[in-house]
Each structure stands twice: as C-alpha cells, then as structure tokens.
Amino acid sequence: MSKLLTPSIVRMPGLLEERANMINVLGCERIHIDVSVGYSIPDFFVCGQFSLAERSLFNAPADFHVFRQGEDESYGALPFRSGDRLILHMFPWTKPESMITVVSHFRERGFAGGLSLDLGVSLKSLMPSLISMDVALIMGIEAGGYGAPLNQKALATLTECRAMIQAGHLAINLGIDGGVNAGTFEPLARLCDFLVIGGLLFNAPDIVMQWRSLNTWMRRIEYAK
C-alpha cells in the first residue's frame, strides 16, 4: 500500500461545497473528517451536521475521526460509504473495552476501524487493543491545537508503534494527525503510512502546486526505503 496524504477538510477555508470541489480536483485518495459527539470542539463537525448530503460532496473515501463525550453513541448515524474508516479517539480517561466493542461492530458491517491516541495515552497500555485494529492514528498535537509544533512525545510514540508493527508483522495502517509541516514532513513520512495535513496544504499560495509537490516528496521518501 502506498503512503498517503489525507487532507483534513475542517482546515479548508470557504463553504463545504467549495472545499469538496477543491478536494475532488486534487484527486485525493482519502480525506480526514473530525467529528465530535456529545460536545463540541472548535472547527470540528458535530455529528448531526455531517449527513449523507455532505458526505456525497466528496468522491474520496473518508476517515471519520470521532471524539465522543461519555457513552454517547449517536455516531452510529454517520454517513459511511464503501472504503470509509472509523477512528475513535482515545483520551486518557477512555475505557479501551468500549472502544473495541464499537470498532468491532463497524468492522462487522464491512468498514475498517481503529484508534487514535491522545497525547496523554500510553501506547504500552493499549498494545493488546491495537493489535486487532486496522488503523492506529497518533496525535501529534493537542486536539484542536491547529498550527502547534509537533509534540516530541508523539514522535516517540510513533517510533515505538512502528517498531511494534514491524516486530509483530501487523497489518496496521499507521498515521499522524497534527504537527506535520515542512520541517517534520520527511521524518514523519518515513515512519507513517499516512499523514493528516491541514495548514501545510491549505495555507500554501497555490494549493494545487503544493499538493503535487508534497506527493512528489512523499513518493521520493517511499521509494528511498
């Protein structure tokens, strides 16, 4: 599987239709959608706001990165399509057992699923749970902390997770969300299967040219392995 760049659509300026048109023009193979359930996070979609009508605007498969409050399970109504994935966010206080149950339910419906590790979550404590997942997403910054520098704890967790995957020959798709910039792009791309990007792409003077440049950079890193 080739390394991917997955644009975070909440970081795009303009109306949702305009965002979707831009994403479709770029020809992205996967997009990233942050969704909050039971509470709100600035710039994130609230679960009920992102319906089938909004989902149909985007051609690419989506990663639904879900931040839920308590045991609220209304995310079951998210407009999943073929190829979409569910990624549940693990806060330090989240019970892994409940997350595993939810992901297993979605996998039974034919969707891939996995966990996102908050900065305060220990990889070691989650290893038994991660082994059965399709996706492991490491947070590079605090949730909602757009533009913040990469947290070095996240880099250490990412390195440890990559070693775990290689040692166990695990089929886990490993990604990073946040802290991806011109200075961190190459080391993160070497460790990850996919990078969630926002400002690095959408703050560029020419988004189309930036997308092409970043993908060329990614291919060079992939082929240099």
Side-chain angles (χ1 to χ4, degrees), residues 105-120:
H105 173 68
F106 273 80
R107 293 176 80 186
E108 288 171 358
R109 291 170 53 189
F111 299 105
L115 302 177
S116 170
L117 278 63
D118 196 77
L119 283 173

Side-chain angles (χ1 to χ4, degrees), residues 68-147:
R68 70 171 182 168
Q69 180 73 24
E71 298 302 315
D72 192 312
E73 297 187 1
S74 58
Y75 53 81
L78 283 170
F80 277 76
R81 295 194 325 202
S82 177
D84 290 351
R85 305 189 298 193
L86 174 70
I87 304 176
L88 293 182
H89 192 83
M90 292 289 303
F91 291 105
W93 56 84
T94 306
K95 297 179 180 179
E97 296 81 8
S98 63
M99 296 295 204
I100 295 170
T101 299
V102 172
V103 173
S104 297
H105 173 68
F106 273 80
R107 293 176 80 186
E108 288 171 358
R109 291 170 53 189
F111 299 105
L115 302 177
S116 170
L117 278 63
D118 196 77
L119 283 173
V121 175
S122 165
L123 175 64
K124 186 176 181 180
S125 66
L126 275 179
M127 279 187 179
S129 304
L130 279 176
I131 288 173
S132 63
M133 298 290 126
D134 304 300
V135 185
L137 180 62
I138 309 302
M139 290 298 296
I141 58 175
E142 295 288 350
Y146 303 121

Side-chain angles (χ1 to χ4, degrees), residues 44 52 78-79 107 133 143 148 152 155 173 178 189 204 212:
F44 283 21
L52 186 59
L78 283 170
R107 293 176 80 186
M133 298 290 126
Q152 292 305 301
L155 184 59
N173 206 225
R212 291 173 180 169

Side-chain angles (χ1 to χ4, degrees), residues 8 10 26-27 34 64 68 78 80-81 95 108 117-118 155 167 179 182 184 190 195 205 221-222 224:
S8 177
V10 296
L26 294 179
D34 288 312
F64 284 95
R68 70 171 182 168
L78 283 170
F80 277 76
R81 295 194 325 202
K95 297 179 180 179
E108 288 171 358
L117 278 63
D118 196 77
L155 184 59
T184 62
R190 292 186 185 280
L195 307 180
I221 293 169
E222 183 175 18

